[in-house]
Amino acid sequence: MKRMSVALVVAGLLSVTIPGGAVHAAPESESLDSVVKAIKKQFAKKSSVRFSVKRRGGPPATWDMKASGAYRFRASGVYAADTTEITQEPEGTGRSRGISIGREFYSQAYVRSKGGKYIWKSPSTVGKWTYGRNLAGVIWGEDLINGINPGFLKLVASHGATSADGGTFEGVKTTLHSGTVTVPELGERQAGMTFGTEEGGSMWGGPITWKLWVGPDNLPRRFHAIMRFTRSEGGEAETMTMNIIYRGWGTPVRITAPPKHLITDEW
């Protein structure tokens, strides 16, 4: 699986143990359908949410990553994102920031050694931003493995999910939804980890074991996924663990383009 060096988008996680309760059939108010409706209501309101993610493991050429940022919504879903990502790479620490507004994308990234030397920079001048447009890899989509993606939630709901008392997370009483779905395609693009349902479209596929904690308003508070990447031709599987926390639903968020004098078309 090939990944862009010091890619961005998704964010650092607070690791918290949450008690679970007895599994039970979810009443309508606690179903994943209700979660999707609550999320889409936030989309329609042009609301926002802050998030953090932590990823570990995965196929060769991926690095452990943590990131943090915010999403702005419109009716169709995520319209804008501002994400800072940190990766630990063989040469040193990678840091990148990406701002996506519609189909406009701005980014700055570097890898720095322990001694402080820049191993790699994009653009070549620190503090500047590269600019691109209509870059499919950075756009939010229905193929993302994410607890606020209606496309993913509809997929897992169709493969069976259980509901339980999720305990209290950050002072909020939660319901825990969970399950496992196996997909023929697993991958990555700059917007995040992806899934596909078409056979033969990727060298990687496998099961996704997921958990989603939602509050009384049915809005996600935490998402956990374990992905088992298996090559289509067989062989040993690679495991990736991903945790996402969502905070500040509806809290005003401003996502704006960098100043024009700092933008370059250099890649």
Side-chain angles (χ1 to χ4, degrees):
M1 182 168 81
K2 184 177 179 181
R3 112 173 234 174
M4 297 178 67
S5 182
V6 227
L8 23 112
V9 184
V10 271
L13 158 92
L14 178 64
S15 196
V16 180
T17 300
I18 302 178
V23 174
H24 57 81
E28 179 60 30
S29 63
E30 295 178 356
S31 70
L32 284 177
D33 284 344
S34 295
V35 176
V36 170
K37 288 177 183 177
I39 293 169
K40 286 189 172 182
K41 186 178 292 186
Q42 294 294 309
F43 291 172
K45 290 167 60 177
K46 298 182 179 180
S47 185
S48 58
V49 70
R50 297 186 180 278
F51 64 90
S52 61
V53 178
K54 189 173 186 178
R55 273 196 340 233
R56 292 187 181 279
T62 63
W63 301 290
D64 291 350
M65 177 275 285
K66 61 180 180 179
S68 59
Y71 291 134
R72 285 288 310 275
F73 306 134
R74 61 181 177 185
S76 59
V78 174
Y79 170 70
D82 186 344
T83 306
T84 298
E85 180 178 304
I86 306 295
T87 55
Q88 298 302 320
E89 307 180 21
E91 300 89 351
T93 299
R95 184 185 187 279
S96 64
R97 184 180 174 192
I99 297 174
S100 179
I101 304 173
R103 292 192 173 274
E104 312 286 337
F105 181 65
Y106 310 88
S107 68
Q108 52 183 202
Y110 61 78
V111 178
R112 205 169 184 179
S113 70
K114 291 183 179 179
K117 180 181 178 181
Y118 287 99
I119 307 298
W120 176 84
K121 294 179 289 185
S122 177
S124 57
T125 302
V126 175
K128 293 280 190 177
W129 294 79
T130 58
Y131 166 75
R133 181 177 173 80
N134 294 324
L135 302 175
V138 306
I139 304 299
W140 178 272
E142 292 286 285
D143 63 339
L144 293 177
I145 301 170
N146 194 299
I148 65 169
N149 175 18
F152 178 76
L153 296 181
K154 289 176 182 178
L155 171 73
V156 298
S158 69
H159 286 72
T162 59
S163 175
D165 177 0
T168 301
F169 177 64
E170 296 188 336
V172 176
K173 185 177 180 180
T174 66
T175 297
L176 169 62
H177 302 285
S178 61
T180 298
V181 59
T182 298
V183 294
E185 296 183 28
L186 285 170
E188 180 190 22
R189 56 190 180 87
Q190 199 147 355
M193 303 308 300
T194 64
F195 71 92
T197 57
E198 298 294 326
E199 296 286 347
S202 171
M203 73 166 62
W204 301 100
I208 306 169
T209 300
W210 62 274
K211 295 180 180 180
L212 180 67
W213 289 262
V214 302
D217 53 7
N218 282 313
L219 290 174
R221 295 316 199 264
R222 182 188 177 196
F223 176 70
H224 175 86
I226 299 174
M227 292 157 272
R228 295 278 290 170
F229 290 79
T230 304
R231 290 183 181 273
S232 54
E233 65 270 22
E236 186 175 349
E238 302 282 350
T239 300
M240 175 182 286
T241 301
M242 178 170 68
N243 293 276
I244 308 178
I245 289 177
Y246 310 96
R247 296 186 175 99
W249 283 98
T251 302
V253 167
R254 285 194 67 201
I255 298 178
T256 59
K260 288 186 177 180
H261 71 279
L262 295 179
I263 298 172
T264 173
D265 58 5
E266 174 193 337
W267 284 90

